[in-house]
Amino acid sequence: MSTLVQQAHAILAKRLRDGDVAIDATVGNGHDTAFLANAVGPSGRVYGFDVQQAALDASWQRLDRAGLSERVTLFHAGHETMALHLPHALHGQVQVVMFNLGYLPGSDKQCRTGIATSISALQQAVEFLAEGGLLSIMAYTGHPGGTEEAAAVRAWVTTLPARYHAALLRPQGTRVSPPEWWLVQG
């Protein structure tokens, strides 16, 4: 059985082609960034955001080892500053935007995403999303504030205009605090 992240990668990989643009709104250790950089091909571009320098450093190392760093621009900034950092010309042009809400695995759990910044970032992300593009939101609930942030994402999704299609997926099994995965199509 595959994890939700593996399922997300499989679905998002079908959307991305060489030359596409993608955003990793929460870079973390760079796993999704590397996945996106590989999927957009040599002529594509990935933009990534993280507030922790350690996350960006780990991501650059991963990207360099994989030969993907030339396809990526990372910002040492919160995802809620997306509209300030990205070219306006990208509005309506991005094929995939990924969010993994929570904290950087193996780091200070006090440094994590929050409701206000995440909802602001999600609102900006849909402005960049291309028609038919995909917004992937993985909301982890097993940490302080995670359940509340996931609830805020659920509430935000209900405010999207009718042209967006959203689906909530949860893993099956006995996990006490399973993540929630939203997939929104523009």
Side-chain angles (χ1 to χ4, degrees):
M1 174 103 178
S2 62
T3 67
L4 280 182
V5 171
Q6 291 168 329
Q7 291 174 41
H9 284 191
I11 289 172
L12 299 176
K14 292 176 185 174
R15 166 66 51 202
L16 292 167
R17 302 285 181 264
D18 186 30
D20 281 344
V21 176
I23 298 170
D24 186 352
T26 50
V27 168
N29 285 314
H31 295 284
D32 288 339
T33 313
F35 157 74
L36 292 169
N38 189 55
V40 301
S43 60
R45 194 87 202 141
V46 175
Y47 296 93
F49 296 85
D50 209 291
V51 297
Q52 296 181 75
Q53 188 62 50
L56 297 173
D57 293 343
S59 296
W60 275 124
Q61 289 176 8
R62 180 178 308 284
L63 293 165
D64 279 339
R65 283 192 307 268
L68 299 169
S69 59
E70 295 297 319
R71 304 175 189 182
V72 177
T73 300
L74 296 180
F75 297 101
H76 186 199
H79 52 206
E80 74 279 8
T81 67
M82 192 179 301
L84 296 173
H85 288 83
L86 297 178
H88 185 74
L90 288 180
H91 277 242
Q93 302 301 311
V94 176
Q95 289 300 321
V96 168
V97 183
M98 292 187 77
F99 285 80
N100 275 310
L101 303 178
Y103 60 89
L104 177 65
S107 73
D108 178 7
K109 291 182 175 89
Q110 297 303 312
C111 186
R112 58 184 183 260
T113 59
I115 293 171
T117 56
S118 293
I119 298 302
S120 174
L122 289 167
Q123 192 59 46
Q124 292 172 55
V126 295
E127 296 297 322
F128 284 99
L129 200 61
E131 184 175 335
L134 295 174
L135 169 61
S136 174
I137 311 158
M138 198 73 65
Y140 293 91
T141 59
H143 60 85
T147 300
E148 294 80 6
E149 188 173 32
V153 170
R154 280 193 304 277
W156 174 80
V157 167
T158 67
T159 69
L160 288 170
R163 70 181 180 92
Y164 293 97
H165 302 283
L168 172 62
L169 300 123
R170 295 182 199 209
Q172 301 301 313
T174 59
R175 191 166 174 187
V176 175
S177 299
E180 295 181 2
W181 174 37
W182 283 96
L183 189 61
V184 177
Q185 183 173 13

